């Protein structure tokens, strides 16, 4: 679990990256979970919003790393 929750990913200029969507959805578990999507493509899910934000940040970091290669 993340120590601090910095919210959804941001662009390099500090604006929130609106391409990421984090919403509660039923996705095969007994309870709804926070589902992370990037441009409507499934990224992952987590039981807590802070964990979903961490998933989105990890996805964003990986995308940036690949783009810089």
């Amino acid at each position: 679990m993340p120590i601090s929750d910095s919210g959804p990913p941001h662009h390099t200029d500090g604006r929130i990256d609106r391409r990421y969507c984090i919403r509660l959805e039923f996705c095969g578990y007994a309870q709804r979970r926070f589902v992370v999507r990037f441009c409507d493509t499934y990224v992952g899910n987590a039981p807590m919003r802070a964990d979903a934000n961490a998933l989105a940040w990890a996805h964003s970091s990986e995308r940036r790393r690949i783009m810089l290669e």
Side-chain angles (χ1 to χ4, degrees):
M1 179 152 107
I3 294 171
S4 66
D5 181 9
S6 55
H10 293 74
H11 292 285
T12 54
D13 65 3
R15 292 178 300 124
I16 292 176
D17 190 342
R18 299 283 180 199
R19 296 174 295 178
Y20 284 93
C21 168
I22 301 174
R23 292 199 174 102
L24 277 172
E25 298 179 18
F26 285 105
C27 56
Y29 294 90
Q31 301 294 322
R32 293 185 302 170
R33 292 175 64 108
F34 289 95
V35 173
V36 180
R37 296 182 190 280
F38 176 76
C39 294
D40 293 330
T41 301
Y42 177 84
V43 172
N45 68 74
M48 299 178 66
R49 179 174 286 279
D51 296 331
N53 284 334
L55 277 173
W57 275 100
H59 182 267
S60 178
S61 295
E62 181 65 11
R63 281 185 51 259
R64 286 181 186 172
R65 185 189 66 76
I66 290 170
M67 287 185 341
L68 294 174
E69 287 182 346

